[in-house]
């Protein structure tokens, strides 16, 4: 079974959690795209939902496929968000932002009663940090912000390159007009401490550590689909 089929399997199980009329946050990324495609089929058959996209990319796909969308300003409290992830550990801590939508993804997740993560089994890690941590920053003071991030990481025993994400010859720009620094720490033993340290840096707009947001992870793998709720508690 290829990677896309696994993503479709996870997305299909997540769609079973969506009830008619829900105020639904819709994530960004390749797995979230599969969820949108499946959701659009149900909408086409008369299923009603109020979608709130986490990126212009997701909004474009929803419009193309006929999923009704509302700005978060009109629907500021959501029932559920379904989104993908770049990494997930056994305590449902995440690294997100590989697609560059981490700020909006975190805002939407924070406005939701529940967040379901959908992924294939390759995204499960014992410790966060193998995937470079995206850190969304203000373009003003970029060099100073990068130095501050490096110092904060060093205090926590972390090291590795902190690279400006590029889009061709120009810096990658988020939907909010910010830049992204990708921090390759390798392993992050204390994600909570790093989160607090990054939040204290003035030039950091947001970071890709999603701690305490996900209530459930639906993971598709070679042996089927499993639901992760917390360490040691997995349901098939």
């Amino acid at each position: 079974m290829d990677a896309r089929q696994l993503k479709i399997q996870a997305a299909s199980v997540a769609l079973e959690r969506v009830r008619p009329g829900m105020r639904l946050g819709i994530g960004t990324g390749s797995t979230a795209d599969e969820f949108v495609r499946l959701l659009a089929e149900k909408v086409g058959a008369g299923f009603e939902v109020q979608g709130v996209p986490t990126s212009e990319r997701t909004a474009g796909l929803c419009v193309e496929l006929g999923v009704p969308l509302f700005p978060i300003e009109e629907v500021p409290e959501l029932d559920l968000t379904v989104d993908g992830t770049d990494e997930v550990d056994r305590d449902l801590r995440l690294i997100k932002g590989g697609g560059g939508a981490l700020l909006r993804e975190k805002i939407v997740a924070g406005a939701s009663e529940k967040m379901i993560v959908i992924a294939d089994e390759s995204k499960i890690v014992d410790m966060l940090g193998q995937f470079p941590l995206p850190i969304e920053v203000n373009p003003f003071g970029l060099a100073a912000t990068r130095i501050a991030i490096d110092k904060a990481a060093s205090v926590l025993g972390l090291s590795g390159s902190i690279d400006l994400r590029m889009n061709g010859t120009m810096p990658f720009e988020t939907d909010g007009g910010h830049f992204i620094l990708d921090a390759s720490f390798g392993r992050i033993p204390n994600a909570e401490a790093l989160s607090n340290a990054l939040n204290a840096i003035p030039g950091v707009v947001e970071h890709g550590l999603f701690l305490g947001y996900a209530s459930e992870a639906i993971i598709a793998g070679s042996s089927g689909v499993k639901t992760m709720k917390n360490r040691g508690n997995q349901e098939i």
Side-chain angles (χ1 to χ4, degrees):
M1 187 175 297
D2 64 23
R4 185 185 177 195
Q5 289 175 313
L6 293 177
K7 294 172 182 179
I8 292 171
Q9 280 194 352
S12 178
V13 174
L15 187 58
E16 295 173 3
R17 309 286 202 273
V18 181
R19 300 290 177 256
M22 265 190 168
R23 300 161 297 176
L24 179 67
I26 305 174
T28 296
S30 58
T31 309
D33 286 350
E34 301 301 342
F35 175 78
V36 171
R37 294 186 179 100
L38 294 174
L39 176 63
E41 292 179 9
K42 289 193 70 172
V43 168
F47 189 82
E48 294 185 359
V49 70
Q50 292 179 285
V52 175
T54 55
S55 67
E56 298 302 322
R57 165 183 164 170
T58 296
L61 182 60
C62 287
V63 169
E64 175 187 342
L65 298 178
V67 176
L69 296 181
F70 297 80
I72 194 168
E73 288 76 14
E74 293 182 13
V75 190
E77 295 180 307
L78 307 176
D79 301 302
L80 173 67
T81 286
V82 177
D83 203 349
T85 191
D86 298 302
E87 284 188 348
V88 54
D89 72 8
R90 302 291 178 175
D91 294 315
L92 298 190
R93 293 176 295 192
L94 317 172
I95 284 183
K96 289 179 51 56
L102 60 154
L103 175 60
R104 294 190 183 186
E105 287 175 331
K106 193 171 281 190
I107 290 172
V108 170
S112 302
E113 289 186 12
K114 184 176 182 180
M115 178 188 186
I116 294 177
V117 172
I118 51 176
D120 65 82
E121 61 186 354
S122 69
K123 303 301 174 65
I124 301 176
V125 297
D126 291 326
M127 182 179 293
L128 297 178
Q130 296 177 36
F131 189 91
L133 175 65
I135 305 170
E136 190 162 343
V137 298
N138 196 305
F140 179 83
L142 176 63
T145 300
R146 191 189 327 227
I147 290 170
I149 292 170
D150 187 57
K151 288 181 178 179
S154 180
V155 168
L156 295 172
L158 302 174
S159 62
S161 63
I162 301 174
D163 302 312
L164 178 64
R165 188 180 297 185
M166 302 297 291
N167 182 14
T169 60
M170 300 294 292
F172 175 91
E173 191 169 306
T174 70
D175 288 342
H178 306 125
F179 293 167
I180 289 181
L181 295 173
D182 289 309
S184 299
F185 293 135
R187 291 171 67 85
I188 303 173
N190 192 336
E192 288 77 12
L194 179 58
S195 174
N196 291 335
L198 293 175
N199 287 336
I201 297 172
V204 171
V205 178
E206 193 48 84
H207 57 75
L209 290 168
F210 281 58
L211 311 177
Y213 285 87
S215 52
E216 186 177 358
I218 297 172
I219 308 295
S222 55
S223 60
V225 179
K226 63 183 177 183
T227 297
M228 294 170 49
K229 293 190 176 180
N230 53 53
R231 187 183 295 272
N233 179 16
Q234 298 180 3
E235 298 178 357
I236 302 300

